[in-house]
Amino acid sequence: MIDISDYDYSVFDCDGVILNSNQLKTEAFARTLEGEPEKYVVEMIAYHKANGGVSRYKKFRHYFEEIHPDKDVEKKIEQAISSFAIIVHNGLMECNYIPGVLDFIKELNEKDLNLFVVSGSDEEELREVFSKRKIISLFSSVYGSPSTKSENMSKVTDIVGKQSKGILFGDSKSDMEVAEEFGLDFVFVRGISEWKDGHQISENKGYMTIYDFNIDIEEVKL
């Protein structure tokens, strides 16, 4: 059991943790790459799922440099990012929240915890979506790409102080790794995670796992 009162701040990933948007992102990669050879698109989707939390910038660069190299890499990446952003923005405005997450976040706010979002999603896009969905005020700051999660966690620790104790809710390997890098306790949100081995790895490391935020009060003490 985790006692939330033990912590000074809490960090949330977005896709699969706050918003039910993992499948949306996967479909957006496929739609953006329509017209590309199918075998390369399949390889890209596998790479995307295996690297949850990694920014779209890095993923499209990987595609046009490693999977299906193109002589005009920068132009291709720019076009892909533009198309991807349009698809994703509309989806993020309409997708559901992860069950229980808003009530959970509001309870944490009542406990006077500093709350942050550290996501692989585009930062400007994420802040706009959160503003339009009227949830941005629930967080002290919202961070995303093109900065890495590690770079953004450095911003968080600069705000809260390196001696503060934090907890991170995530659904990907990159979330776990950044929690370990900065000494935060990690909770794996497994409900719609695309991290194939996430549940087993998290349990083996002794981390708490939850399906969603409809959490028994005995599991996470508020």
Side-chain angles (χ1 to χ4, degrees):
M1 184 176 70
I2 292 173
D3 189 342
I4 291 295
S5 65
D6 288 342
Y7 299 95
D8 302 304
Y9 68 103
S10 179
V11 177
F12 292 81
D13 177 40
C14 178
D15 298 320
V17 177
I18 297 174
L19 296 179
N20 188 341
S21 48
N22 283 351
Q23 185 60 33
L24 159 70
K25 294 290 181 71
T26 298
E27 292 173 356
F29 276 107
R31 287 176 59 188
T32 299
L33 293 172
E34 281 181 1
E36 291 287 310
E38 183 178 356
K39 66 177 182 179
Y40 297 137
V41 176
V42 169
E43 186 177 344
M44 175 63 167
I45 296 303
Y47 173 79
H48 158 66
K49 289 183 176 181
N51 291 275
V54 174
S55 78
R56 66 192 64 174
Y57 304 92
K58 183 174 179 179
K59 287 178 178 178
F60 280 120
R61 182 167 296 281
H62 177 78
Y63 180 83
F64 290 113
E65 287 186 347
E66 304 295 335
I67 295 177
H68 191 202
D70 192 281
K71 62 181 181 180
D72 199 351
V73 173
E74 300 306 325
K75 182 180 179 180
K76 286 285 190 177
I77 292 173
E78 184 180 345
Q79 290 173 340
I81 291 293
S82 178
S83 298
F84 185 87
I86 293 170
I87 296 168
V88 166
H89 180 273
N90 294 335
L92 290 177
M93 288 301 301
E94 298 172 0
C95 66
N96 293 326
Y97 291 103
I98 296 299
V101 71
L102 285 187
D103 287 339
F104 185 77
I105 287 170
K106 289 173 182 176
E107 287 188 71
L108 295 188
N109 267 292
E110 291 173 3
K111 300 296 180 182
D112 293 326
L113 265 74
N114 285 314
L115 305 185
F116 300 89
V117 173
V118 172
S119 172
S121 298
D122 181 83
E123 183 172 294
E124 184 177 336
E125 173 186 87
L126 202 56
R127 288 178 175 178
E128 180 183 353
V129 168
F130 275 33
S131 293
K132 289 181 177 178
R133 295 189 73 141
K134 302 187 186 306
I135 62 170
I136 198 163
S137 62
L138 297 174
F139 303 96
S140 298
S141 291
V142 174
Y143 297 116
S145 61
S147 296
T148 66
K149 286 195 173 184
S150 182
E151 290 167 343
N152 285 329
M153 270 305 308
S154 289
K155 298 173 188 176
V156 172
T157 56
D158 284 345
I159 293 171
V160 300
K162 289 182 171 56
Q163 302 307 312
S164 296
K165 186 174 182 182
I167 183 169
L168 189 151
F169 295 88
D171 73 328
S172 68
K173 185 179 180 181
S174 66
D175 293 324
M176 181 189 73
E177 289 173 342
V178 80
E180 292 175 341
E181 180 184 355
F182 287 87
L184 283 75
D185 288 341
F186 178 63
V187 177
F188 177 57
V189 185
R190 68 180 187 272
I192 63 165
S193 172
E194 294 179 327
W195 182 18
K196 183 179 178 182
D197 302 318
H199 184 60
Q200 189 63 53
I201 290 172
S202 296
E203 286 200 334
N204 289 346
K205 285 175 170 276
Y207 297 134
M208 181 177 180
T209 71
I210 58 176
Y211 186 81
D212 56 30
F213 289 89
N214 288 325
I215 305 169
D216 190 304
I217 202 71
E218 294 304 316
E219 289 186 73
V220 178
K221 181 181 175 184
L222 290 165

